[in-house]
Amino acid sequence: MTKKETTSHKQQKEITQKKPIAAIATPVGEGGIAVIRVSGKDAIDKVNEAFRGKDLTKQDSHTVHFGKIIDQDGNIVDEVLATLFHSPKSYTGEETVEISCHGGVLVTQAVLEAMLDLGVQSAEPGEFTQRAFLNGKMELSQAEAVADLIHAKSKKALDSAHQQLEGRLGEHIKQFRQQIIDATAMVELELDFVEEDVEFADKEELERLLKELDEEIDDLLATYETGRLVKHGVRTVFIGLPNAGKSTLLNTLVGKDRAIVTDIAGTTRDTIDVDWSYDGLRFKLTDTAGLRETEDVIEAEGVKRSQEAFEKADLAVYLKDLSRELTPEEREDIANFQKSAGDTPFVLIGTKNDIAIDVDEERMDYDLKISALEGEKIDALKKLMKQRALENKEYNSSSILVTSSRHRDALKKAQENVRSAIRALDQGMTGDFLSIDLRSALKDLGTITGEITTEDILDSIFSRFCIGK
């Protein structure tokens, strides 16, 4: 395949059978079972050469057979179960065998090497899924969802990946493409009869169709920020003065001593990142060095990194030690951070409420007062963090989310071309200009599902897959 644009491989009439490839399809390590997947032209014949049991070439699809794998010297490598999938009824659409052997690094590798010794090629990352796409077993957005499913680190990320794997995003994109195809047909039919001065396109109907499409794309694009948080996690930074209880709170949330806690100010001298999930949503918690002026070079670098983490955060949590009097300087710091946060949700939390001093004149508008050490209001804090993280972002388990920056960029380009067509229509431009914009929008949307793609796009997508998938 060249690097120029190509039409969808799903339109092919026959499954493409490439040379057989093999890879370990399960995590390598000690375990009860490991699976080696072999797929491609004559894959069943190749495995049969090393299989001692029933003749696999004479067995039906979707059947499992017990036997032994032997090496080229005739030595038994392992007792296995071979599961057969005849083309096109397999994951890749090709002849496929999944060999279930005993788990363990050495025995699994030995079974794989027995396959490679027969001339089967070692699979590249994502090559099985890439073949599934090329053979029309799934569209490109579904193929990408396979990787999202594997790498999902929260329940909501898992739900979102399942939706894309089911093709729900693809169905939306197909609807958009059909609307553009209908609009293009109206315009180009008129172009074919330009010399006869015949008008087929209802300009008002065409404008209505394009404006509806613009709004629908806009609605889908609006889900990206939520989708990004669901897929990658909410970057949450704890900031505040030294000894404000940032490390204690982080340890309390994750349920283990991830950060060192002492009474010595400046104990945390660098940012510490920890993954934490709550109610299906993943948070990437960052404990930062206490914010203060210091001549200590290492601590100063930690303060600098704290500031950088704050600037990249999706949720900023400022912690104020209630056991210490609020100084004018800290009051100013809180105000500055709150202002600098801009659109980033900002939460002001009072800590150490179990030993708080009574200062009536403080008059700070805390979102919550907690004691991480005593577990006071921690559940309320968790709920508050999730609420603020998804503030102004509608989400439920049935929501269709754009989670990929590639999909977002393609939708933006398509929307720009749709809007360009609307402007051309308003300005009374000829149909050939409209047709150029509409066909460009069609191409942009096609790159999401794979109707239109390039080798560069495929290489970029499948290179992030694990070997064996």
Side-chain angles (χ1 to χ4, degrees), residues 330-393:
E330 186 174 17
R331 184 187 292 276
E332 184 178 354
D333 280 343
I334 294 173
N336 288 337
F337 272 109
Q338 197 160 12
K339 182 179 179 180
S340 299
D343 294 333
T344 302
F346 183 90
V347 181
L348 178 59
I349 302 296
T351 63
K352 306 183 184 180
N353 196 43
D354 54 319
I355 55 173
I357 59 174
D358 187 15
V359 184
D360 293 334
E361 63 272 15
E362 189 177 281
R363 295 181 183 177
M364 288 296 293
D365 188 16
Y366 292 102
D367 291 286
L368 205 60
K369 293 183 179 180
I370 67 168
S371 170
L373 204 58
E374 298 295 327
E376 179 186 345
K377 297 289 181 68
I378 296 302
D379 285 341
L381 175 61
K382 293 176 182 178
K383 293 177 183 178
L384 178 63
M385 288 171 62
K386 180 185 176 183
Q387 176 191 333
R388 290 292 177 86
L390 297 179
E391 208 165 41
N392 302 321
K393 299 178 180 70

Side-chain angles (χ1 to χ4, degrees), residues 23-37 101-109 150 466-469:
I24 300 169
T26 49
V28 178
E30 295 184 3
I33 299 293
V35 176
I36 291 87
R37 177 181 284 161
C101 65
H102 290 94
V105 176
L106 294 180
V107 66
T108 306
Q109 188 63 34
I150 294 169
C466 58
I467 294 175
K469 196 60 180 173

Side-chain angles (χ1 to χ4, degrees), residues 208-337:
R208 183 193 64 78
L209 189 152
L210 292 177
K211 286 185 175 179
E212 282 184 3
L213 178 60
D214 178 31
E215 291 177 3
E216 289 168 1
I217 294 176
D218 211 43
D219 289 341
L220 195 55
L221 278 170
T223 69
Y224 175 71
E225 274 306 304
T226 303
R228 180 181 65 82
L229 298 182
V230 166
K231 180 178 179 178
H232 298 291
V234 182
R235 294 171 297 190
T236 305
V237 59
F238 294 148
I239 52 176
L241 295 180
N243 255 353
K246 300 183 293 296
S247 298
T248 301
L249 178 57
L250 182 140
N251 290 340
T252 299
L253 291 175
V254 301
K256 60 182 179 180
D257 292 338
R258 180 63 180 81
I260 298 173
V261 177
T262 73
D263 292 331
I264 303 172
T267 299
T268 303
R269 300 161 76 86
D270 195 359
T271 55
I272 298 173
D273 298 317
V274 184
D275 279 355
W276 169 67
S277 290
Y278 172 71
D279 196 22
L281 186 63
R282 178 187 173 206
F283 289 80
K284 302 176 73 174
L285 305 179
T286 299
D287 181 20
T288 64
L291 302 170
R292 65 174 179 177
E293 295 291 333
T294 177
E295 295 182 0
D296 186 302
V297 176
I298 298 176
E299 188 178 356
E301 178 62 26
V303 172
K304 177 184 174 184
R305 294 185 183 186
S306 299
Q307 182 65 42
E308 291 173 352
F310 168 77
E311 292 170 359
K312 297 176 182 177
D314 300 310
L315 175 65
V317 181
Y318 191 101
L319 303 184
K320 163 66 179 75
D321 182 355
L322 297 176
S323 69
R324 296 183 182 180
E325 186 177 347
L326 178 68
T327 64
E329 290 78 15
E330 186 174 17
R331 184 187 292 276
E332 184 178 354
D333 280 343
I334 294 173
N336 288 337
F337 272 109

Side-chain angles (χ1 to χ4, degrees), residues 148-149 151-163 229-231 276-283 386 395-398 401:
D148 292 342
L149 202 65
H151 298 299
K153 294 185 178 180
S154 72
K155 179 65 168 59
K156 286 189 176 3
L158 195 62
D159 291 342
S160 177
H162 271 301
Q163 285 185 0
L229 298 182
V230 166
K231 180 178 179 178
W276 169 67
S277 290
Y278 172 71
D279 196 22
L281 186 63
R282 178 187 173 206
F283 289 80
K386 180 185 176 183
Y395 177 77
N396 57 59
S397 58
S398 63
L401 301 177

